[in-house]
Amino acid sequence: MPDNLHTSIVRDFRQTLLWPVQLMTDHLVPGAVDAPWETLNAIKDSPWVEIEDDFLHSAPHLSETRYQEFVTFMPFAQRFLYGEGKHGHAAGGYGESPLHIFSRQDIRAVRITLPEHATPLTLRVAHIELYFFFDIDVAMLALEVTASDLALNDAMEILYRLGRTYPNYWDDTGEGGHCAKRVEWLDQHDQVIAASDYEDKARYLAFVKENHVPCVSLHWSALMSPLVQHYSGQSGELRYREIEYQRMPLMAYLAFDDVSTLSRGDLIRLGLVCQPWHSDTLPFSEQFLQDFEQQHCYDRYWDEVRQDPWSTTRIMCTGQNFVVVGSHQHRVFSNDKNGIKRHYQNQYFLLFLIAHFQKAALLMLSDRMVQAISRLNMQSEDSVKSFRSNIRHVTAVFLRFTHRYWFENVSDQAVAKDLFALMLKQLDSVSLFEKTRRRIMDMAEYLEGEEIKRQADTVVRLTVVTILGLIGTMTSGLLGMNLIDLTQTSLLEKLAYFGIVFVPVSLLTFYTVIKSRRLSLFLDALSNESTGMRYKLSKLARVWSGQLEDR
């Protein structure tokens, strides 16, 4: 790494990691709704404690910060995030929020050792939260770390390396590629609670060979505990597996003394979360980056000329990343009450959470369909029944997701509306939604077609049995009911005659049902006036032959 990198200082550094995972639950129980938050609450000695929302506190008034956050969103998004009040709940409305949020307070700092850095850096942990969603088997871990007076180069390295769940490769020194040299969770006494193991190549290779899924680093596994990775040997009632790429989606807030000292290369590296390099260079080719500002930058508060002091805030969104940079001295950027910094911690975070939750939920539903199809064996009746049950369940969950969680717009406030639209565009969520909807609807149509075909086949069989039974009914009617006078016989004799008739008629009926498909082909041929008697007789002969034609 060159020695002449940019020397700017980040006065206020914040990084928020968001890790979506798929919960592996028993979704095959008819009518059951999994409640992993109840399971987590019931686990003894769990570090996770469910948060009581400000809206449920006994305090007479809501905090002004939460009020500003609340009014940012449109009513349907408010009901998703906060639920309805006691009056709406009592009136049979939306009810409580489908969000269940847990927090843990035992981890107070993270110590990260970067490659080619002898001294580790310590970041404060602002909060660690775990989000569950009603009726959706997705959980999201949110971790925010902060630091002051951090060198820009170090800030770029932390952004690039902290949120890695496993290494992509190992370099010549044995360290995990793209990962920090070491990451440690610290308690309030600076004692290590858990540490990374990116350098343990044998563990990762063995896990992938055995389970065909990547292995999560030990420090992330410890952070999620008592939730355990699905394919690990650990025992646990709550199991998860990764659903996206190994680098977690992240948000970042960086405040500088003077943001104008950053070059275009610096800004692009921050926006794309690249490793630091010379400020007068670009991380990729000019042709590749020529429309970076148009595609990824929200410059409502940014002016290249900077004639006004407030026009020094740039917001960059590249799908996986949401990065805000600005000048620390300007109140519109760093105000803790109603500035960009407060919006980043509240409104922008919720926008980011909703957008990535929607994508994770759609990926989860797609994965469920793949599982159902991969297990389908058309030769096994039990497999076919299980397939139908799985697809019906996925279809029902998707419909509930569409009406409860799917929004293409969550706010009428200009900035929030624009940023959410940019997030959806960068994540390609609308296209993913349409593809998932079409696939699920195709499956539903397939099941409906199979059901109609099965019912039609049943009707054909019953029709054949009815036609053949009609012959005997009409014959007995024409011959009269007194061929055998049983009026003077005893009850025992009547029962004997009944049995003599009942047994062969029953056998004939069952035999007719067994041959009903072949008999239906014969009846079709018999009703076809354009065919000769020889053709009709051949169809009759095939009723007892081994050949069966498709209808």
Side-chain angles (χ1 to χ4, degrees):
M1 183 178 295
D3 297 329
N4 56 342
L5 296 178
H6 206 294
T7 58
S8 293
I9 300 298
V10 183
R11 295 303 178 190
D12 189 357
F13 172 82
R14 292 178 177 272
Q15 180 180 2
T16 305
L17 295 170
L18 197 64
W19 187 19
V21 296
Q22 178 180 351
L23 297 174
M24 308 305 294
T25 56
D26 185 10
H27 60 281
L28 301 180
V29 180
V33 176
D34 298 305
W37 52 90
E38 294 180 357
T39 304
L40 186 56
N41 269 324
I43 297 177
K44 294 182 179 180
D45 302 324
S46 170
W48 296 101
V49 178
E50 189 164 8
I51 297 175
E52 184 181 2
D53 192 87
D54 290 350
F55 287 85
L56 302 177
H57 285 171
S58 58
H61 300 294
L62 188 69
S63 66
E64 185 177 348
T65 299
R66 292 305 300 277
Y67 176 81
Q68 292 178 15
E69 173 190 301
F70 177 83
V71 298
T72 299
F73 297 94
M74 297 175 72
F76 50 82
Q78 291 171 352
R79 289 190 288 271
F80 161 50
L81 294 170
Y82 313 103
E84 286 189 331
K86 57 183 180 181
H87 299 295
H89 195 185
Y94 192 95
E96 298 177 357
S97 169
L99 281 173
H100 294 266
I101 310 172
F102 287 74
S103 176
R104 60 183 297 173
Q105 305 294 330
D106 55 327
I107 298 177
R108 309 304 292 270
V110 52
R111 186 162 59 207
I112 179 170
T113 304
L114 300 171
E116 302 183 19
H117 283 60
T119 305
L121 301 171
T122 301
L123 310 173
R124 297 182 300 276
V125 172
H127 63 83
I128 306 174
E129 294 169 346
L130 188 61
Y131 290 79
F132 295 101
F133 305 84
F134 181 79
D135 201 29
I136 299 294
D137 293 333
V138 167
M140 305 193 79
L141 176 71
L143 166 68
E144 182 180 5
V145 296
T146 67
S148 301
D149 299 332
L150 190 66
L152 176 59
N153 303 332
D154 293 338
M156 287 183 176
E157 288 280 10
I158 293 171
L159 291 175
Y160 184 74
R161 298 179 183 277
L162 180 59
R164 304 276 180 172
T165 56
Y166 55 85
N168 284 348
Y169 63 94
W170 289 266
D171 59 24
D172 296 337
T173 65
E175 296 177 3
H178 304 314
C179 300
K181 188 173 183 179
R182 188 171 179 82
V183 180
E184 300 167 304
W185 306 128
L186 307 179
D187 62 15
Q188 59 182 349
H189 303 296
D190 291 337
Q191 299 299 310
V192 177
I193 295 177
S196 61
D197 66 336
Y198 293 131
E199 70 285 352
D200 190 357
K201 183 196 299 187
R203 173 174 175 263
Y204 290 92
L205 296 180
F207 193 92
V208 171
K209 183 178 186 300
E210 180 178 356
N211 302 297
H212 297 190
V213 295
C215 180
V216 174
S217 176
L218 287 179
H219 68 298
W220 289 116
S221 296
L223 189 61
M224 290 290 285
S225 179
L227 282 76
V228 298
Q229 192 176 6
H230 182 51
Y231 294 102
S232 68
Q234 298 173 279
S235 60
E237 298 181 60
L238 293 174
R239 312 188 74 83
Y240 67 91
R241 70 179 181 190
E242 291 194 281
I243 198 171
E244 291 192 54
Y245 180 55
Q246 57 98 0
R247 187 177 73 76
M248 301 177 189
L250 66 84
M251 299 176 64
Y253 170 93
L254 300 94
F256 300 87
D257 288 332
D258 184 3
V259 73
S260 64
T261 60
L262 299 184
S263 68
R264 182 170 182 257
D266 293 329
L267 292 171
I268 291 176
R269 285 186 177 87
L270 287 172
L272 297 178
V273 186
C274 301
Q275 291 180 274
W277 203 252
H278 296 287
S279 294
D280 57 355
T281 63
L282 297 176
F284 306 107
S285 69
E286 176 60 44
Q287 183 178 0
F288 180 77
L289 297 171
Q290 62 182 352
D291 60 348
F292 173 81
E293 286 77 10
Q294 290 74 28
Q295 295 291 329
H296 304 294
C297 296
Y298 184 71
D299 286 345
R300 188 185 188 94
Y301 307 113
W302 180 266
D303 184 6
E304 294 290 349
V305 182
R306 297 181 180 85
Q307 296 179 349
D308 298 308
W310 57 264
S311 60
T312 56
T313 298
R314 167 165 278 184
I315 300 174
M316 294 173 282
C317 179
T318 58
Q320 287 290 99
N321 315 313
F322 182 88
V323 181
V324 182
V325 297
S327 295
H328 182 65
Q329 69 270 24
H330 297 311
R331 183 175 178 81
V332 70
F333 182 74
S334 59
N335 189 312
D336 286 329
K337 185 176 182 180
N338 52 19
I340 299 293
K341 180 179 180 179
R342 174 55 60 187
H343 294 333
Y344 166 87
Q345 295 173 297
N346 293 82
Q347 290 93 316
Y348 297 170
F349 170 74
L350 290 176
L351 294 174
F352 197 70
L353 176 74
I354 294 172
H356 282 271
F357 160 70
Q358 290 178 337
K359 180 182 178 182
L362 292 170
L363 291 174
M364 180 273 295
L365 291 169
S366 298
D367 181 72
R368 284 281 166 82
M369 286 192 296
V370 172
Q371 289 184 54
I373 294 173
S374 63
R375 296 172 181 173
L376 175 61
N377 179 6
M378 296 300 296
Q379 307 303 319
S380 170
E381 184 177 352
D382 291 338
S383 177
V384 173
K385 289 181 179 179
S386 177
F387 172 76
R388 289 172 181 165
S389 176
N390 290 344
I391 294 302
R392 289 192 182 100
H393 176 81
V394 171
T395 303
V397 172
F398 178 76
L399 290 174
R400 294 194 294 269
F401 164 80
T402 301
H403 292 283
R404 181 183 284 128
Y405 297 117
W406 176 250
F407 321 113
E408 293 188 44
N409 183 22
V410 297
S411 177
D412 272 341
Q413 293 188 11
V415 178
K417 180 179 180 179
D418 294 343
L419 289 178
F420 190 71
L422 184 58
M423 291 176 186
L424 291 186
K425 176 183 176 183
Q426 298 294 344
L427 292 173
D428 200 23
S429 296
V430 176
S431 175
L432 178 60
F433 175 82
E434 289 299 325
K435 291 177 182 177
T436 305
R437 185 185 65 81
R438 287 197 300 269
R439 290 169 182 168
I440 291 178
M441 292 303 105
D442 286 345
M443 288 296 175
E445 290 176 5
Y446 168 77
L447 291 180
E448 184 179 357
E450 285 293 306
E451 184 69 17
I452 292 174
K453 181 180 178 181
R454 187 178 64 83
Q455 292 177 358
D457 191 54
T458 302
V459 171
V460 169
R461 292 170 181 267
L462 292 175
T463 302
V464 170
V465 174
T466 303
I467 291 173
L468 297 180
L470 184 61
I471 298 173
T473 302
M474 293 183 66
T475 302
S476 62
L478 290 173
L479 294 175
M481 300 301 295
N482 297 318
L483 292 177
I484 303 175
D485 187 7
L486 302 178
T487 57
Q488 304 300 321
T489 59
S490 64
L491 178 60
L492 187 59
E493 289 179 302
K494 291 178 181 179
L495 290 175
Y497 278 110
F498 176 80
I500 292 171
V501 176
F502 177 78
V503 172
V505 169
S506 298
L507 293 176
L508 179 62
T509 302
F510 292 145
Y511 182 75
T512 305
V513 172
I514 293 173
K515 297 294 185 178
S516 59
R517 178 174 291 184
R518 299 172 185 264
L519 286 170
S520 66
L521 296 175
F522 166 65
L523 292 177
D524 285 343
L526 193 63
S527 63
N528 190 349
E529 297 180 357
S530 63
T531 59
M533 183 57 66
R534 187 172 182 178
Y535 175 78
K536 294 178 173 61
L537 292 176
S538 68
K539 290 293 184 181
L540 178 60
R542 289 183 180 180
V543 173
W544 295 279
S545 68
Q547 299 178 0
L548 179 63
E549 298 178 0
D550 293 332
R551 293 185 65 86

